[in-house]
Amino acid sequence: MFDGDSAVRQLTPTNFDLVLERTSQPTFVKFYAPWCGHCQTLEPEYERAATRTHGVAKFYAVNCDVESNRGLCARYNVQGFPTLKVFTEKRTKRGSRRAVDYQGARKASAMAKYARSMLPSLSTKLSADGLDTFVTGTQLPKAVLLTERSKPGDLWRGVAAHFDRKVQLAHIVNPDSATLERLGVDKLPAIVVFPEHTDPSVAELYTGESKYLPLAKFIHATAIARKPVRQSKAQTNPVALDVQQIETQADLERVCISPARNSPVPILCVIGIVALEPEFEESRAEHAQVVTVLESVLSGQRLRSPHAPTQPNSNSDDYDEVEGDSSADDTSEPSPPLRVAWVNALSAAGQQVRTMFGLSDDLPTAVAVSPRKHAAAPYHGAFTRADMLDWADQCYEGRGMRRIAGELIISGKQEAGHDEL
């Protein structure tokens, strides 16, 4: 039921809260048992509803026949199968989303219609004169729709709900020619993203299709994943942002462990592993290229505001550190959460790092380490700025992170010996 190609994703106690808290789109959750006849009848209708509302609502399922899921089903007072809950954008005092029972017809058309009716209006209506004030009003990045329609459609409302509390969205109806010229817009509708709340002149025009997936990817890439690190004048102790070499335990403490103890935001340490033989020009060139990529990861990271991350599930090897709500406290100063370093794979320290985190022999490679949560994730992919920034964002949000079995200890800076010929 609901295989890998399905539009409906399975939820477990490990990812349930994480997934629901990351969106304000209407979210259906089907609590079911595979042997239940009514559940089997509902499955194709539920699947079609999920497909029809892509970009507007989310559809998930929880298998209550799985032992580890039964506590989650009891938490929502599931007494029969299937039970359909709809999570709205409204939240409790603790910040979790409120759920209501779905009592409508169990047909795709009825569920899709209900989902659209529950879609919140989170886009702010602006005048052209109010654009700069909106952009600089809070520390969140902004995205603005310029349109001739009196109200934004479901696509824009769905995007606004998806990015709720991460990016602020607004719309301007019939903007004047001066605004269009300033933003480089020659036809409507148009979408402009403002990644920097301190500078309304920094704007990125969306030129893709009017479809949810490419638009959401553009906003994420422009407003969130690529937000540059800027030191605020208000910071009395600015962080020294440079890629440093780790050769000893003292280096590891200075670069990764000590900042994690003292930082107002959780620190993620990205360690690149590359073989460096200084006597060979080719090795020096490869090392320089790797360090350049690591420097671009450091400078391209997203700032984070202080928050209290969700604790990992003690019964799971998965590590879930939820991204903080930067809108919750706009007076707190965002900080860069990444510390980036490199270690020579041919050194004793490099060999210990590779062994400690179970890294492959393929070089260059990298590992993300959270000293505060004692968790780590190896990197699998091309050693490029874009791919590594996406990976670092996912690691910071807990995806792919696993508990570290031993202590974060390396010893010695002596070079490892080569095999005898």
Side-chain angles (χ1 to χ4, degrees):
M1 192 171 283
F2 304 122
D3 57 27
D5 295 328
S6 172
V8 179
R9 283 182 54 195
Q10 295 279 353
L11 296 181
T12 68
T14 299
N15 64 5
F16 188 90
D17 291 324
L18 175 67
V19 168
L20 261 67
E21 297 314 309
R22 290 176 57 82
T23 183
S24 288
Q25 290 182 355
T27 303
F28 270 76
V29 178
K30 171 187 174 183
F31 295 89
Y32 74 98
W35 46 261
C36 162
H38 291 300
C39 301
Q40 296 166 9
T41 301
L42 175 61
E43 181 180 355
E45 296 292 334
Y46 197 69
E47 184 81 42
R48 280 193 287 271
T51 302
R52 291 180 185 180
T53 57
H54 176 65
V56 173
K58 308 285 188 184
F59 281 72
Y60 298 104
V62 175
N63 183 353
C64 295
D65 214 33
V66 175
E67 180 67 33
S68 59
N69 291 347
R70 289 178 181 173
L72 184 58
C73 299
R75 170 178 160 188
Y76 287 98
N77 196 30
V78 175
Q79 298 180 341
F81 304 125
T83 292
L84 295 181
K85 301 277 185 179
V86 181
F87 292 79
T88 72
E89 87 283 4
K90 297 178 181 178
R91 299 181 183 255
T92 66
K93 292 181 179 179
R94 294 185 177 181
S96 59
R97 295 175 63 192
R98 295 186 182 276
V100 297
D101 290 314
Y102 174 70
Q103 304 287 4
R106 296 185 175 185
K107 296 292 184 180
S109 57
M111 288 183 284
K113 182 178 179 180
Y114 182 84
R116 291 181 184 278
S117 73
M118 297 292 286
L119 185 62
S121 297
L122 299 177
S123 177
T124 303
K125 186 175 182 179
L126 298 177
S127 65
D129 292 341
L131 178 59
D132 286 358
T133 301
F134 171 72
V135 171
T136 59
T138 69
Q139 293 176 351
L140 291 179
K142 314 295 189 300
V144 178
L145 167 69
L146 308 169
T147 180
E148 296 173 316
R149 298 178 58 177
S150 59
K151 295 181 179 180
D154 284 352
L155 172 60
W156 189 246
R157 293 169 63 205
V159 170
H162 174 75
F163 286 103
D164 184 27
R165 306 193 304 165
K166 297 184 285 290
V167 180
Q168 282 186 282
L169 272 69
H171 56 281
I172 299 176
V173 178
N174 294 321
D176 57 73
S177 57
T179 300
L180 297 178
E181 183 178 355
R182 167 193 161 185
L183 298 175
V185 174
D186 55 14
K187 63 179 180 179
L188 299 179
I191 294 166
V192 181
V193 175
F194 299 86
E196 292 296 311
H197 76 277
T198 57
D199 191 354
S201 68
V202 179
E204 296 285 343
L205 178 65
Y206 176 64
T207 58
E209 297 178 280
S210 295
K211 293 183 178 180
Y212 173 77
L213 191 56
L215 176 55
K217 284 184 175 181
F218 175 81
I219 292 175
H220 181 271
T222 306
I224 297 178
R226 301 297 174 261
K227 187 173 181 181
V229 172
R230 291 179 180 242
Q231 292 301 317
S232 168
K233 295 179 181 179
Q235 285 182 298
T236 56
N237 296 305
V239 177
L241 293 176
D242 57 345
V243 176
Q244 304 180 51
Q245 183 178 6
I246 293 177
E247 296 181 279
T248 65
Q249 181 66 22
D251 294 334
L252 184 64
E253 288 276 350
R254 172 176 49 82
V255 176
C256 297
I257 299 175
S258 181
R261 296 192 190 105
N262 303 321
S263 173
V265 299
I267 291 295
L268 188 72
C269 191
V270 174
I271 303 174
I273 298 93
V274 59
L276 173 61
E277 296 178 282
E279 63 270 27
F280 296 112
E281 182 179 353
E282 183 178 350
S283 179
R284 294 197 305 270
E286 181 182 8
H287 168 262
Q289 185 176 12
V290 168
V291 171
T292 298
V293 172
L294 293 174
E295 288 174 342
S296 70
V297 170
L298 188 63
S299 64
Q301 67 176 296
R302 177 187 174 192
L303 296 178
R304 305 280 179 162
S305 293
H307 64 88
T310 298
Q311 296 296 321
N313 187 308
S314 59
N315 296 321
S316 172
D317 288 334
D318 289 331
Y319 165 80
D320 292 324
E321 183 173 286
V322 183
E323 174 189 345
D325 179 4
S326 58
S327 65
D329 182 4
D330 287 330
T331 63
S332 58
E333 190 66 35
S335 301
L338 299 187
R339 301 295 181 270
V340 182
W342 69 276
V343 63
N344 189 349
L346 302 179
S347 69
Q351 292 186 359
Q352 290 174 46
V353 167
R354 291 163 68 186
T355 300
M356 184 188 308
F357 300 112
L359 303 180
S360 71
D361 292 332
D362 295 332
L363 297 173
T365 188
V367 62
V369 183
S370 172
R372 184 180 293 186
K373 296 298 182 183
H374 207 68
Y379 177 65
H380 304 287
F383 218 85
T384 65
R385 175 183 186 272
D387 289 343
M388 293 196 73
L389 276 170
D390 285 341
W391 165 71
D393 273 347
Q394 292 174 22
C395 291
Y396 194 82
E397 294 163 4
R399 285 176 280 177
M401 299 291 279
R402 296 292 184 270
R403 297 284 190 185
I404 300 170
E407 296 298 319
L408 287 172
I409 297 176
I410 61 174
S411 61
K413 73 179 283 185
Q414 70 274 13
E415 293 294 318
H418 293 278
D419 292 336
E420 294 287 336
L421 292 176

